[in-house]
Amino acid sequence: MRSIDRAFFILAVLMGLAGMLLGIQMGMAHDFQLVPVHAHINLVGWVSLALFGIGYRLGFAKSGGLGVLHFWVAAAGAFLLPLGIYLATTRQQEAVVIIGSLLTVASMLLFLVNVVRAWSTPAG
């Protein structure tokens, strides 16, 4: 994946739109039970993914194979965490939220590794 920054940013925008649409739907229905889902779509999906993309674009994080792995782990976490919150809230099923949470933490750890790798590489 050559343009990891763009992949992160495109997915971030899609997640941002999904979060906005869910927020609009909740407002129209006057049913705010899914506010935690909405918040996590926006924060993990839109904000975190966008910041990851910006970090790669500005060279704060080193791309390559670990960057691609980071993208897929982050994408899975950004999708599964809000889905898991939905399932936990509406059906008392918590397995997916646990998996999504662990993937989201793993994603941040991968980003940390890629940031350290970029800062450890001599400028040239």
Side-chain angles (χ1 to χ4, degrees), residues 33-112:
Q33 177 185 11
L34 299 179
V35 164
V37 177
H38 164 74
H40 283 80
I41 290 172
N42 286 318
L43 289 174
V44 175
W46 164 232
V47 176
S48 292
L49 296 177
L51 288 172
F52 292 152
I54 291 168
Y56 283 104
R57 173 64 114 189
L58 295 177
F60 292 147
K62 188 171 184 169
S63 57
L66 278 180
V68 173
L69 176 63
H70 176 221
F71 173 80
W72 289 111
V73 171
F79 177 75
L80 290 176
L81 181 58
L83 174 62
I85 293 169
Y86 170 80
L87 292 172
T89 301
T90 61
R91 299 190 179 129
Q92 288 69 48
Q93 297 174 357
E94 298 175 353
V96 177
V97 75
I98 292 168
I99 294 166
S101 296
L102 293 173
L103 286 169
T104 300
V105 169
S107 165
M108 190 60 78
L109 289 171
L110 283 167
F111 189 60
L112 174 62

